[in-house]
Amino acid sequence: MTGVPASAAGGSSGARGAPGSAAEEPAGVAVSGAQGATRPARGGKLAAAAVNQASVWNVANLLTMLRLLLVPGFVALMLADGGYDPAWRSLAWAAFAIAMITDLFDGHLARTYDLVTDFGKIADPIADKAIMGAALICLSALDDLPWWVTVVILGRELGITLLRFLVIRYGVIPASRGGKLKTLTQGVAVGMYVLALTGWLATLRFWVMAAAVVLTVVTGLDYVRQAIVLRRRGMAERTAALEESEA
């Protein structure tokens, strides 16, 4: 999950001029005029803007789309043959695992190779919530997981997402180490519940899920604290700026 928040990344090299010209300078690079002054190359700004726009059809976004497509497939596999067949549950686990793994890679690829797009910013968190929500709801519908666990986890995820939007005018709440640990623990716990485990593994998954619920609540409260601090700081800075402008 994937699928966290940045502007569209810039390209690493500029476009080149028309072939056969006297001097093929990269677009946007200043060239010397007759008097020694510098002037921007014609069309430099337009070319730079084109370079700075990463294509929607890049590998990071394709991985995000794959996660979205895996959601209905996961649900179908999870509920196949009444939802209790170990073979179908194993296939459902494979789909869930692929979704979790691609969540780790798409964000990293987007930031590393300047592939961040507006589509990715919106679709990535939707894909994360969709696959996790589908898994939790299916598990609770099959009586494998108490409904209150599903409500706590999904309520926290949706609540924090809404909170981020409410305070975005004051700044961005960064992802914390606790939040990343929470995501990892949730993925492992839900994955263990998707599999038809018995014996000591079934006991182990109970405790892993318990740890995931604790981390979910604790990190959620920490995000609320950060949001309150960020809002107060932002309001104080705005008030100070207003008073300075009126002075």
Side-chain angles (χ1 to χ4, degrees):
M1 194 69 165
T2 105
V4 206
S7 60
S12 58
S13 61
R16 298 184 67 84
S21 59
E24 294 183 356
E25 294 293 336
V29 176
V31 295
S32 299
Q35 304 299 326
T38 60
R39 62 182 176 81
R42 182 177 297 177
K45 291 183 178 180
L46 293 177
V51 170
N52 287 338
Q53 292 297 321
S55 171
V56 172
W57 298 101
N58 61 62
V59 64
N61 285 346
L62 290 176
L63 288 176
T64 299
M65 295 177 196
L66 173 62
R67 290 213 314 283
L68 288 170
L69 293 174
L70 281 172
V71 174
F74 166 82
V75 173
L77 292 170
M78 190 71 181
L79 301 179
D81 198 17
Y84 296 103
D85 186 285
W88 288 112
R89 293 285 285 260
S90 296
L91 292 174
W93 176 87
F96 182 80
I98 292 173
M100 292 295 100
I101 292 171
T102 56
D103 181 29
L104 297 176
F105 282 105
D106 62 355
H108 174 74
L109 289 172
R111 291 186 297 271
T112 302
Y113 296 102
D114 295 338
L115 301 176
V116 178
T117 63
D118 290 337
F119 171 81
K121 296 177 189 176
I122 297 173
D124 182 69
I126 291 176
D128 297 341
K129 304 298 186 293
I131 190 66
M132 183 60 71
L136 289 168
I137 291 173
C138 284
L139 288 170
S140 293
L142 294 171
D143 293 326
D144 288 341
L145 191 68
W147 274 105
W148 70 264
V149 174
T150 295
V151 171
V152 167
I153 294 178
L154 293 185
R156 184 270 191 199
E157 299 301 329
L158 296 176
I160 295 302
T161 300
L162 177 61
L163 186 64
R164 286 178 183 273
F165 280 111
L166 290 176
V167 300
I168 197 169
R169 70 181 69 179
Y170 305 109
V172 176
I173 304 176
S176 64
R177 291 183 178 179
K180 295 177 181 179
L181 179 60
K182 176 271 304 178
T183 300
L184 176 61
T185 308
Q186 280 184 1
V188 173
V190 171
M192 293 179 73
Y193 269 86
V194 170
L195 286 171
L197 300 179
T198 57
W200 68 271
L201 287 175
T203 303
L204 177 62
R205 72 181 181 182
F206 169 83
W207 291 108
V208 176
M209 180 60 76
V213 171
V214 171
L215 286 171
T216 296
V217 174
V218 171
T219 56
L221 293 175
D222 182 61
Y223 277 125
V224 171
R225 179 193 62 81
Q226 291 186 58
I228 294 174
V229 172
L230 187 63
R231 181 176 181 275
R232 288 177 177 174
R233 184 184 303 159
M235 293 182 66
E237 291 175 353
R238 287 189 177 187
T239 302
L242 182 61
E243 291 176 350
E244 183 177 349
S245 63
E246 293 177 348

